[in-house]
């Protein structure tokens, strides 16, 4: 059996039931648990080097926030909350503290691999996502990661501050980010964003 088909089986029999039990919905290899202010997302990413005989994959996690569409993301929001459109995008390997991907070959003991996946979801992925009970938890973790020098877009937090009515915080951040931007194109985008959010630069 082609290893891609074995992966499909593992997703169907092991990963999907575990996440659905937690309240996640599924679309393809994407899972989302929808809350009022955000969604937690999990994606199963396959290696681009996969072949018929060898398949490697791992989990990505993220927090999807609708307010980023029409503000930072100037394209229509997807019909399903995806990890690729999320903030706090964290690879499963960062959570499990191991660099190795899950691997399926003709010699893989599939039952053993399933047990390992169940353990990783139960001990690392779900506890990580469960810490986000409100948008304030999302903000706290984003601020902490930024302090640690882990950046995504500098504008995400600005939009989230606006979405919860923290306009002073948003304005202070917008001004600081704008002054740190080097490129004219970046400054141009920031000006437009400030307008969309009712802030000034």
């Amino acid at each position: 059996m082609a290893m891609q088909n074995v992966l499909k089986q593992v997703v169907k029999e092991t990963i999907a039931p575990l996440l659905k039990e937690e309240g996640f919905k599924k679309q393809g290899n994407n899972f989302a648990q929808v809350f009022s202010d955000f969604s937690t997302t999990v994606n199963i990413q396959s290696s681009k080097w996969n072949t018929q005989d060898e398949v490697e994959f791992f989990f990505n996690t993220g927090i999807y926030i609708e307010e980023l569409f029409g503000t930072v993301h100037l394209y229509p929001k997807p019909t399903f909350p995806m990890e690729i459109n999320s903030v706090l995008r964290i690879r499963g390997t960062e959570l499990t503290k191991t660099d190795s991907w899950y691997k399926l070959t003709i010699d893989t003991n599939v039952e053993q691999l399933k047990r390992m996946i169940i353990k990783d979801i139960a001990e690392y992925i779900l506890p990580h996502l469960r810490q986000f009970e409100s948008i304030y938890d999302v903000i706290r973790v984003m601020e902490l990661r930024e302090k640690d020098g882990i950046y995504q877009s500098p504008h995400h937090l600005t939009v989230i501050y606006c979405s919860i009515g923290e306009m002073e915080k948003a304005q202070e951040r917008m001004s600081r980010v704008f002054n740190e931007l080097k490129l004219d194109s970046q400054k141009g985008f920031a000006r437009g964003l400030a307008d969309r959010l009712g802030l000034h630069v």
Side-chain angles (χ1 to χ4, degrees), residues 13-14 108-118:
E13 293 169 8
T14 305
T108 302
N109 177 333
V110 178
E111 289 312 308
Q112 205 174 334
L113 183 72
K114 283 180 179 176
R115 282 196 294 276
M116 189 169 136
I117 290 169
I118 290 168

Side-chain angles (χ1 to χ4, degrees), residues 10-26 31 33 42 59 114-126 130:
V10 170
V11 172
K12 189 177 165 196
E13 293 169 8
T14 305
I15 299 171
L18 203 55
L19 291 174
K20 280 182 176 167
E21 209 173 285
E22 281 290 311
F24 283 80
K25 292 176 167 50
K26 176 181 184 298
F31 297 84
Q33 189 175 20
V42 177
F59 292 109
K114 283 180 179 176
R115 282 196 294 276
M116 189 169 136
I117 290 169
I118 290 168
K119 179 175 179 288
D120 286 350
I121 291 175
E123 289 182 16
Y124 300 103
I125 308 256
L126 291 176
R130 280 191 197 117

Side-chain angles (χ1 to χ4, degrees), residues 14-121:
T14 305
I15 299 171
L18 203 55
L19 291 174
K20 280 182 176 167
E21 209 173 285
E22 281 290 311
F24 283 80
K25 292 176 167 50
K26 176 181 184 298
Q27 189 181 85
N29 280 342
N30 296 289
F31 297 84
Q33 189 175 20
V34 180
F35 299 100
S36 59
D37 296 334
F38 62 92
S39 301
T40 54
T41 61
V42 177
N43 158 263
I44 300 161
Q45 186 181 331
S46 293
S47 163
K48 61 175 182 231
W49 309 112
N50 283 348
T51 63
Q52 184 89 345
D53 305 317
E54 185 175 296
V55 166
E56 290 188 317
F57 62 99
F58 64 89
F59 292 109
N60 293 312
T61 68
I63 304 293
Y64 172 92
I65 294 168
E66 209 163 86
E67 278 78 14
L68 295 174
F69 289 87
T71 53
V72 178
H73 306 318
L74 299 178
Y75 47 90
K77 69 175 199 275
T79 51
F80 191 84
M82 305 272 233
E83 179 273 333
I84 195 163
N85 297 314
S86 293
V87 300
L88 287 176
R89 297 175 66 196
I90 298 175
R91 280 187 166 189
T93 47
E94 187 184 326
L95 301 173
T96 58
K97 306 275 191 285
T98 152
D99 281 340
S100 53
W101 295 28
Y102 307 111
K103 188 184 266 193
L104 281 167
T105 67
I106 203 82
D107 302 318
T108 302
N109 177 333
V110 178
E111 289 312 308
Q112 205 174 334
L113 183 72
K114 283 180 179 176
R115 282 196 294 276
M116 189 169 136
I117 290 169
I118 290 168
K119 179 175 179 288
D120 286 350
I121 291 175

Side-chain angles (χ1 to χ4, degrees), residues 157-173:
L157 268 169
T158 310
V159 174
I160 298 168
Y161 291 151
C162 284
S163 77
I164 57 168
E166 296 257 6
M167 299 310 281
E168 269 176 49
K169 233 174 166 182
Q171 180 57 63
E172 183 276 323
R173 186 179 170 89

